Amino acid sequence: MNPKDESALPHGETASGPLEGRPPKELGDLQKAITMAQIAKAAGVSQGAISSLLNDRDYGIRVSEKTRERVFKVCREMGYIPNDLRAVVRMYPELGEYCLLISDAFPAGLSDPFIARIARAAMAAVDDPSHPLILAFYDPARDYSGNLDSLPHPIRNGVASKFLFYGPINVSLVTHIQRRGLTVVSLGADAPIPGVISLIPDYAAASRLAIEHLFGLGHERIGIVSGPFGTSDAPTIALHRGVKAVYDERKVPIEAQNIVYGDLSYQAGATAFENLLSHANAPTAVFCLSDAAAAGVISAAHAHGLSVPRDLSVVGCYDDFCAQLIMPALTTANIPAEQMAEQGVKLLERVIRESLVPEPQRHILPVTLVTRQSTGPKKTA
């Protein structure tokens, strides 16, 4: 759009599409024409600033957040509907799509059972079928500030206005979204960035519940099947913190030889158990930081003729779908993926209806231990 173009901008061209059947009350008469000069005069800004905002380009014109809010407020009050769908979404964010951005640090993507749970729950939480959830992936280490073409597609094409992140937060990506006046909810990771709401399961409490459960059954030698050694993954670090807290409270040292590191896959669990079984005093119970690894431990135990839970108790983590299919059914710490995703969608809806979040918010979600058949009292001699 040319900043100097003061010709009439008719509403009718964009009254269909995303606005069809659901125009906001303040749009007024869709037949009347609004000029950029009228908008600029009412908002007290230049026509170049209007063009910059509508086209999401700076054109060498710096527009503050307060100015953006004032311009869009004036446009809404005057009943102006831009010709560009991206500008419509920026001006009327309630009409944009929902987007779940998943970190590509998770190589399994949607094959990861926990991510699949989040995606299904988020989709189910979107009440309006005309605004389905879009899925996209991002690189948590990439700098997205310098190249707009590198942005994930839903952000680049401008059709999404409600963003959920799952994985390590990318500050440059969040900054770009916020520059459009939109809000971000981070799922599972703390994002101490102004305007971002973080929903974080209490991972430390999950591991505490698991270890306390095993101690309560009389197990003193407990193996830990952990993630990769030296990982920076926040949930894994928090799970370790919970384990350590229980041992510290009981004044029991953690034996380093009973912690086995791996990728938390089924095969990693089986390999970890072979390692633990080779020790002179093999553990009588194992806590795994994933349900897949716990399934591998149980399979390897059966291959050695051990009975679960008579000879070995096993606890998993996350309570993914496979936990109920393992034989015996797996005792596991439930990480509330469904609650986290549903709350994330509802928070985005509320923020768009009310106002932007000025300060970072952090909400901790409670976890539970689901007791099934894979744990039992320590076997007596």
Side-chain angles (χ1 to χ4, degrees), residues 237-253:
I237 293 171
L239 287 166
H240 273 284
R241 190 166 62 248
V243 171
K244 184 176 184 301
V246 177
Y247 275 83
D248 288 347
E249 289 169 4
R250 290 177 172 264
K251 294 182 171 51
V252 177

Side-chain angles (χ1 to χ4, degrees), residues 122-295:
M123 289 178 182
V126 176
D127 294 329
D128 187 351
S130 68
H131 291 286
L133 182 78
I134 302 171
L135 299 177
F137 294 86
Y138 70 96
D139 181 347
R142 184 168 191 166
D143 183 3
Y144 288 100
S145 59
N147 183 6
L148 296 181
D149 291 335
S150 68
L151 292 168
H153 183 67
I155 301 176
R156 187 170 66 250
N157 67 19
V159 299
S161 62
K162 312 173 188 80
F163 294 94
L164 299 170
F165 274 74
Y166 177 67
I169 207 72
N170 182 301
V171 176
S172 66
L173 196 52
V174 170
T175 300
H176 184 87
I177 293 170
Q178 289 181 325
R179 229 177 5 242
R180 297 181 179 182
L182 304 173
T183 301
V184 167
V185 171
S186 174
L187 305 178
D190 189 13
I193 304 171
V196 177
I197 304 173
S198 301
L199 297 176
I200 310 170
D202 195 342
Y203 292 105
S207 53
R208 284 184 64 102
L209 289 170
I211 299 299
E212 286 171 349
H213 175 66
L214 292 173
F215 271 124
L217 291 171
H219 297 282
E220 298 172 349
R221 297 194 308 278
I222 301 172
I224 308 294
V225 179
S226 181
F229 182 79
T231 182
S232 59
D233 179 58
T236 301
I237 293 171
L239 287 166
H240 273 284
R241 190 166 62 248
V243 171
K244 184 176 184 301
V246 177
Y247 275 83
D248 288 347
E249 289 169 4
R250 290 177 172 264
K251 294 182 171 51
V252 177
I254 299 177
E255 297 183 38
Q257 67 173 358
N258 285 338
I259 302 177
V260 184
Y261 300 93
D263 62 7
L264 293 176
S265 64
Y266 176 93
Q267 186 56 51
T271 302
F273 181 73
E274 297 291 342
N275 183 315
L276 293 169
L277 194 63
S278 68
H279 299 165
N281 291 314
T284 61
V286 178
F287 171 50
C288 302
L289 273 60
S290 78
D291 295 330

Side-chain angles (χ1 to χ4, degrees), residues 5 42 44-45 53 66 73 118 127 131 206 268 281 300 314 334 340 362:
D5 181 9
V45 298
L53 286 168
K66 287 185 178 180
K73 181 175 184 291
I118 290 173
D127 294 329
H131 291 286
N281 291 314
V314 181
N334 178 276
M340 182 169 63
R362 187 171 184 263

